[in-house]
Amino acid sequence: MSFMDRKGWQVQFLEKDLKTPLPRKLHFASPDKVVELVERGGGLSNLESRQALDQAIEIGRGGVFLNLTEEQYARLKTLRS
């Protein structure tokens, strides 16, 4: 997952190859929602990963490897109608 602050937080998800984007993109007003998303996706495995996330949010962009369930991954592969 990559994220960037552009008048709100834009979140994009990539396949394992780190090149192919998944169709679902999210936009949040608050960086707290980015943190919540990373927590739900299993991206915070230790204190070091949390500190790295906080630093990325501070500079306005970053990326995190998520450990998604099959259901979470399937939801990201579909566009919301």
Side-chain angles (χ1 to χ4, degrees), residues 3-5 9 31 34-35 38 44 47-64:
F3 55 91
M4 185 176 295
D5 184 11
W9 291 89
V34 174
V35 173
V38 172
L44 297 178
L47 179 60
E48 184 179 84
S49 62
R50 176 57 195 244
Q51 290 171 334
L53 176 61
D54 289 343
Q55 184 178 18
I57 287 172
E58 189 174 311
I59 64 171
R61 62 185 169 88
V64 177

Side-chain angles (χ1 to χ4, degrees), residues 29-74:
S30 165
D32 294 337
K33 291 292 187 179
V34 174
V35 173
E36 181 182 333
L37 181 65
V38 172
E39 287 173 344
R40 288 180 26 207
L44 297 178
S45 57
N46 54 36
L47 179 60
E48 184 179 84
S49 62
R50 176 57 195 244
Q51 290 171 334
L53 176 61
D54 289 343
Q55 184 178 18
I57 287 172
E58 189 174 311
I59 64 171
R61 62 185 169 88
V64 177
F65 288 100
L66 301 177
N67 296 306
L68 302 176
T69 65
E70 290 294 325
E71 181 181 332
Q72 289 170 323
Y73 178 67

Side-chain angles (χ1 to χ4, degrees), residues 13-16 20-25 68-80:
F13 301 92
L14 301 172
E15 290 283 2
K16 288 182 181 183
T20 309
L22 292 171
R24 177 78 55 98
K25 294 179 182 175
L68 302 176
T69 65
E70 290 294 325
E71 181 181 332
Q72 289 170 323
Y73 178 67
R75 289 177 65 198
L76 291 177
K77 288 187 74 167
T78 60
L79 284 173
R80 193 183 279 183

